[in-house]
Every structure is written in C-alpha cells, then in structure tokens.
C-alpha cells in the first residue's frame, strides 16, 4: 500500500507530496535508531548481566521459580541474559512491531524460544492470568526505559503500572535504584544558549548597543532538557559553584509514584559567582547492595575511571529561570520539580534565622510550574542559535562586510528567520531596511526586539513568503542590497539554508539591476574523517555478551539501504571528536548573485588520504562568502597539528555521511583515496552523494 506524505521542502521552501510505501516510517525509525549504540555500550551490558545473574540467584535461594518481566526488550538481550542466568521463564515486552519481530528471531537463533515469550504490546495493555499474555505475575522486573534525563521516556508511569498489575510485591528489580546528581555552575558559554546578550555595534555616530526586550531577559525559556556530551565541554568553559549533591533517588523494587512532585536539597557554594546552570546526570545500582553501579558522571567527577562513551545516555544542562549571584558558604536551597516526563530546577536563598518549622513550610511553596516560554524567542531560536547570535566574532564579520556594501542611499531587504542583520544594516547607515519574516512567531519576536531598541518605525517587518512579496510591501522601492545570514528554522542539514537562494530567486523582480547580494555565494566543503566514537552508532554489533544479534544488524542495514544510506545525517561535531584523514575540499559552489539555474549542479573527483586511519565517513559543511574576502563557516573552524585534530563550529550541526564499510564493518586495508560524486538537483534542492573507497 502506498501513502501520500506532505512535507515542506527545507531547501526550496515548496510544499511537496511524496508517495511513500507503508513501511517508510518504520525504515526511518530503524535507520536512525540508537539500538547499535546501546549494544556497543560494554559497561551497560556487563553490569546489566551481573545484576540479572545476582537477582536470579536471590530468587532461587528463596526456593522460588525465577519469572522475569523485561519491559522494552528491544533485541531481547536482557531476557536472554536472564534465561542464560537460570531464569525459569521470561516475558519480553516490546511495543514497536518491527523490533518485536526481530526479537523473536534473535531469541530463536540463540536457542531460547522455550524460555522467552515476546509480547508485542505496550506494557500497560499486557494481561495476566491463565488466558492472559502472562500466566502469572513476575518476581523479577528488568527494564531499560531510561533516557539522558532518566524519566523522559515515561519510565515512571511504566513502573507504576507494572508494580500494580504485572509484578509481585517485593519483587527483585534490575536496575534496583537510580540516583540523580546535580552540580551548580556558572558558564557564560552555556548561559549564552538561553538568553541574548547585548550586541555592540560601532556606527558612524558612536557605539550602539542592541538590547534584548525585558520580556526575553526574564523569560524562563523552554521546559525541555538540553542534553549534551558534557565530556567534550572544556573545564575552562564553566566554573563549579557547588560540590556534587544527590538530588533524588527512585527505588524500582517498590511501588513507584509518577505523580508530579518536588525534591529539595541544601547547598553551600564552594565559591562565589553567578548561579546560572544546573548540570545533572544519574547512576543506576543494579543490585540492592550498590556494588554493581553504572554511572553517567562526567570526567571531572570520576577522573580515575576510563569513561565509557555512550550517545543514548548523556548529561543534562538545565537553565535556572534567572541568574542568581551567590556567595561562598551562604545557605541555598535547590529545588527539582518533576512531572511524569521531565525535570526543572529553581534556586532560593535561605531566609535569615530560618527555623526547621519555617523551612518545612517554605518547602511546601517551592513547587514551581514547569517553565514556559513567554517571549516566544525560545520558540523561534533553538539553543545553538542563541549561541550563534551571541557569538561576537561572528557578528563582527557581518558588520565588517555590511560596512563594505552599504551606502547612504541603500534600500536593504533581509531574508532570514529572526535575524539581527536588519538592525545592523540600519545602524550602519542604510537609508531604509525591510525584513521578510516567514512566520508569525518570528514577526512577533522581531517586533518586540525593534520596540525595545526604539527601532519600530525605522525597520519594516513584512510577514509574507518570498514568492508573495508585492511592490506595495516595499513601498514601490527597488532593493539595492539583499542580505541573509542565511539561517532558517526549518533547516536540518547544512545545505538546507540554501533556501536563501530560492528566496532570492523568488524576489528577483523587486531587486535593482545592480543589486548587491550578501552573502554573494556559498560553497559546499567535504573532508574524510576517522571518528573517535561516533562511528559506533552505525556499526554492526555481531555478538553482544555472547549473544548473536546479527538479525538486528541486518535490519538496520536494510533500512539504511532503503534510502537513508545515500543521505548525510546532521550531528553537532564539537561533541564528537574526529581526526581528518584528508585535506578539506571545496566540492560545489552556489552563486547567489544569479538566480537558481534550471540545470543540476554536479561534480566528481577524488580526495587523497594523507593520514593512516579508519575512513569512517565524510563530513560536509557550508561556507558563506559574504564579500570577496570575508567568509563564515558552518563547519571546520580550524585544522590543527599533524594529528589532524578538528575544531568545529559549535553553533551548527555538520552533515555526516557514513561509509558503508562502517555499516558492514569491513574496513578496507588503508584506502589511499576516496572517490566522490555530488549532484545538486535544483528542482528538489536535494544533494545526492556517492563515495567509493579506493
């Protein structure tokens, strides 16, 4: 059966209807899944196995049969661990049908069909009884339902239901307990992901300071957690204001409450500073004694242990509602509030001479509402975009290039989503400035912004799509300078921002014949790399802790071949170290001074490998040439030393194309070059790419 899927094309901006097979979504989900990453997590696997063996032994020692319930079984790995540890029977629950089918095959292949029953249902729909999915309640509960925030995948309501209906009272649970840890820090870099800092512009008539509206200044931002690989954050980018403290624990062997609640801890800053950020992570004890522990702690907390790389569980950055100056040794209260799926934080100073009774009363009123963006800027700009807007050196590049092209009679049109360029153009002397905003959200944010800086009558906002722009919108004037960053909220891959070129083409009739376009052009760049760890997310597992999971590998490979493997995927490479094996190479150029051509843009060639290493894939990024001598890169910022260490733009995701040798795990013996072919289809705005290792 075929189905029509509507989607807005991020590059061309047009609405498209694509005919997709019924299994398209399924292939998408499998191809981009994190199953391989979890199966490569040796630390997780070993500790789960130890915890399961210990739980089965404890039940057997009591003279009972070991009946296991495994919720969210995935490949069936944990159930197979239980069966091989001597469990009498396992009920393995998996709601995602293709995954449940794979689990059945994997269980059979490993010879456990008589011990493991795979149930393709949501655990809340599972029935117990002689005619039910489960004959009886289980006495061992095994789950892996956690995300970086611990509870974001609905672990709490799932546990709550399981204790009520699916497991015996006093059951063994693996993991037995989870504990969430927090640390208070000051970090200009991380804080720049939440709020806009004032922007300084040197204009003809002195320095201008662009300030964010007060509404944006005091906005708590979004409730969603910011999850990152904290191990890639250099210690120079933050300052710890408190010791690490335990925030709360959840005992999975007892009934779990999912209802919203708050936890409060007392802190004493170890140094004075500005409290802005709560860093958080968790660990799990696989057994009641706490001897088998799996921790997500970052490098400065556990400097002695070899850190296990994992992408399915990272660390959390939470932004306090506002910056709080704190003094070393003063008494503070940090409150964590949570609902079923998310956590948020609040910091309060202890009141002078507060008694224990006052403290308890005080505790009752600290449960604050989940943060909601009131200024709308957090709906328009994601966190990396806030970081980009706060990057003063990047802003200086734009100021420098605008100075070169603006004249006193310039009529300027800006095409980007919620950009500060219209303000820069006005301050730098453009006669008139228009900004074309695609959405109601970006219009309202820009309105507030202009108002806060007394510019509402200086810059005209036009809410229209480029193809619907009329001469009357522009007061019948022709545009002499067209500018863009380019940045659009719909972009996922670096080249999706080529939407600027399509918008520029759509507004051609409104441009003066000698129009200046900034950026004047863009180029697509590429480099062959070896990843330190990121390759694991696409690499087959084969045998995992003695169990054959190749069925899973084949399934991922089929889904990648379905379509995805011919495409790059977006990753923020500042979080994923790699070394370059080749020089960076420019592969395609796009001339914004002209309209989008009818014909495709194609190129092919080969790139020589300069260093020995495993060619895991190609990284792709865009560079925008603002003027003849000023460029900004969305990818490689610096290539240092003989080792080929790369520094990536921290505000953008780069495109990563994994070679099939990673997916098939047959790394060639030292390829000497990589052949590539690229084709930019100007009708669809898509780049097809192909690579061959020579």
């Amino acid at each position: 059966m075929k189905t029509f899927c509507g989607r807005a094309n991020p590059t061309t901006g047009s609405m498209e209807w694509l005919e997709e097979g019924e299994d398209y979504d399924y292939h998408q989900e499998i191809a981009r899944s994190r199953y391989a990453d979890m199966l490569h997590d040796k630390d997780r696997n070993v500790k789960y196995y130890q915890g399961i063996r210990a739980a089965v032994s404890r039940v057997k020692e009591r003279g009972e049969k070991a009946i296991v319930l495994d919720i969210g079984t995935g490949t069936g790995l944990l159930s197979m661990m239980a069966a091989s540890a001597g469990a009498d029977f396992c009920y393995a629950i998996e709601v995602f049908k293709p995954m449940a089918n794979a689990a059945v095959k994997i269980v059979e292949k490993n010879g456990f069909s008589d011990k493991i029953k795979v149930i393709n249902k949501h655990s809340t729909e599972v029935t117990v009884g002689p005619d039910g999915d489960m004959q009886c309640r289980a006495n061992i509960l095994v789950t892996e339902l956690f995300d970086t925030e611990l509870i974001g995948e609905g672990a709490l309501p799932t546990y709550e239901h399981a204790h009520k209906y699916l497991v015996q009272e006093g059951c063994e649970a693996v993991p037995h307990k989870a504990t969430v840890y927090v640390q208070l820090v000051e970090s200009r870099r991380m804080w720049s992901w939440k709020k806009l800092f004032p922007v300084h512009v040197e204009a003809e008539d002195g320095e201008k300071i662009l300030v964010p509206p007060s509404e944006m200044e005091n906005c708590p931002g979004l409730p969603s957690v910011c999850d990152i690989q904290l191990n890639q954050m250099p210690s120079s980018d933050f300052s710890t204001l408190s010791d690490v403290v335990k925030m709360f624990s959840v005992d999975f062997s007892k009934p779990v409450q999912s209802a919203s609640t708050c936890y409060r801890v007392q802190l004493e800053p170890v140094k004075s500073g500005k409290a802005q950020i709560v860093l958080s992570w968790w660990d799990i004890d696989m057994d009641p004694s706490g001897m088998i522990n799996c921790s997500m702690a970052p490098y400065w907390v556990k400097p002695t242990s070899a850190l296990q790389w994992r992408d399915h569980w990272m660390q959390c950055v939470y932004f306090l509602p506002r910056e709080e100056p704190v003094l070393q040794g003063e008494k503070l209260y940090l409150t964590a509030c949570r609902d079923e799926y998310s956590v948020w934080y609040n910091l309060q100073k202890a009141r002078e001479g507060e008694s224990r009774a006052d403290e308890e009363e005080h505790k009752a009123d600290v449960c604050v509402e989940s943060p909601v963006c009131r200024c709308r800027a957090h709906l328009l700009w994601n966190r990396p975009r806030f970081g980009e807007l706060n990057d003063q050196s990047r802003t200086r590049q734009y100021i420098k290039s605008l100075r070169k092209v603006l004249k006193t009679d310039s009529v300027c049109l800006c095409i980007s989503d919620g950009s500060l360029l219209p303000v820069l153009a006005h301050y730098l002397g453009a006669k008139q400035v228009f900004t074309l905003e695609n959405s109601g959200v970006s219009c309202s944010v820009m309105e507030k912004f202009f108002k806060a800086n007394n510019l509402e009558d200086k810059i005209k906002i036009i809410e229209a799509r480029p193809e619907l722009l009329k001469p009357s919108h522009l007061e019948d004037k022709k545009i002499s300078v067209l500018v863009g960053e380019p940045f659009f909220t719909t972009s996922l891959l670096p080249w999706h921002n080529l939407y600027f070129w399509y918008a520029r083409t759509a507004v051609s009739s409104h441009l003066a014949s000698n129009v200046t376009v900034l950026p004047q052009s863009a180029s697509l760049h590429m480099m062959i790399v070896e990843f330190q760890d990121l390759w694991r997310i696409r690499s087959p597992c084969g045998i995992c802790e003695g169990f054959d999971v190749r069925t899973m590998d084949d399934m991922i490979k089929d889904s990648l071949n379905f379509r995805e493997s011919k495409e790059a995927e977006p990753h923020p490479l500042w979080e994923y170290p790699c070394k370059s094996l080749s020089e960076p190479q420019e592969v395609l150029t796009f001339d914004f001074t002209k309209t989008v051509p009818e014909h495709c843009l194609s190129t092919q060639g080969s790139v020589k490998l300069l260093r020995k290493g495993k060619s895991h894939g190609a990284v792709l990024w865009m560079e925008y040439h603002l003027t003849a001598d000023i460029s900004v890169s969305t990818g490689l910022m610096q290539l240092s030393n003989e080792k080929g260490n790369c520094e990536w733009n921290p505000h953008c995701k780069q495109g990563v194309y994994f070679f099939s040798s990673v997916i098939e795990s047959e790394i060639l013996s030292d390829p000497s070059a990589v052949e590539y072919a690229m084709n930019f289809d100007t009708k669809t705005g898509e780049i097809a790419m192909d690579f061959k290792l020579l």
Side-chain angles (χ1 to χ4, degrees), residues 71-114:
I71 302 179
T73 195
T75 54
L77 179 68
L78 303 183
S79 285
M80 294 190 295
M81 287 177 175
S84 69
D88 294 276
F89 202 78
C90 304
Y91 295 102
I93 299 174
E94 177 54 56
V95 68
F96 184 40
K97 190 167 177 52
M99 201 62 239
N101 294 344
V104 169
K105 289 179 191 161
I106 291 169
V107 163
E108 191 178 338
K109 197 172 186 178
N110 287 276
F112 293 111
S113 294
D114 58 332

Side-chain angles (χ1 to χ4, degrees), residues 40 182 457 474:
H40 279 296
V182 291
D457 53 348
L474 302 168

Side-chain angles (χ1 to χ4, degrees), residues 462-503:
I462 304 163
E463 186 182 352
R465 293 187 56 76
E467 60 275 17
L468 302 176
L469 189 64
K470 299 186 182 82
S472 58
H473 284 131
L474 302 168
E475 297 162 15
D476 294 316
K477 294 189 171 71
K478 288 285 185 192
I479 298 301
S480 59
V481 181
L482 178 70
V483 299
E485 292 198 44
F487 169 83
F488 300 97
T489 54
T490 49
S491 300
L492 293 171
L493 287 158
W495 45 92
H496 287 166
N497 284 320
L498 284 172
Y499 173 63
F500 176 75
W501 200 13
Y502 290 83

Side-chain angles (χ1 to χ4, degrees), residues 658-676:
F658 287 103
F659 295 152
S660 57
S661 55
V662 179
I663 296 155
E664 289 156 18
S665 116
E666 34 174 71
I667 297 287
L668 293 167
S669 52
D670 291 332
S672 57
V674 175
E675 247 176 29
Y676 63 86

Side-chain angles (χ1 to χ4, degrees), residues 252 361 377 379 413 433 599 640 644 679:
F252 298 123
E361 192 183 314
L379 307 177
L413 173 65
V433 182
H599 59 85
S640 57
N679 182 57

Side-chain angles (χ1 to χ4, degrees), residues 246-263:
K246 282 185 187 180
M247 194 72 224
F248 64 91
S249 290
V250 185
D251 183 337
F252 298 123
S253 68
K254 298 188 173 78
V256 170
Q257 302 294 317
S258 69
S260 299
T261 188
C262 288
Y263 310 93

Side-chain angles (χ1 to χ4, degrees), residues 498-512:
L498 284 172
Y499 173 63
F500 176 75
W501 200 13
Y502 290 83
R504 176 258 180 268
T505 303
V507 302
S508 289
S509 62
H510 305 285
L511 308 179

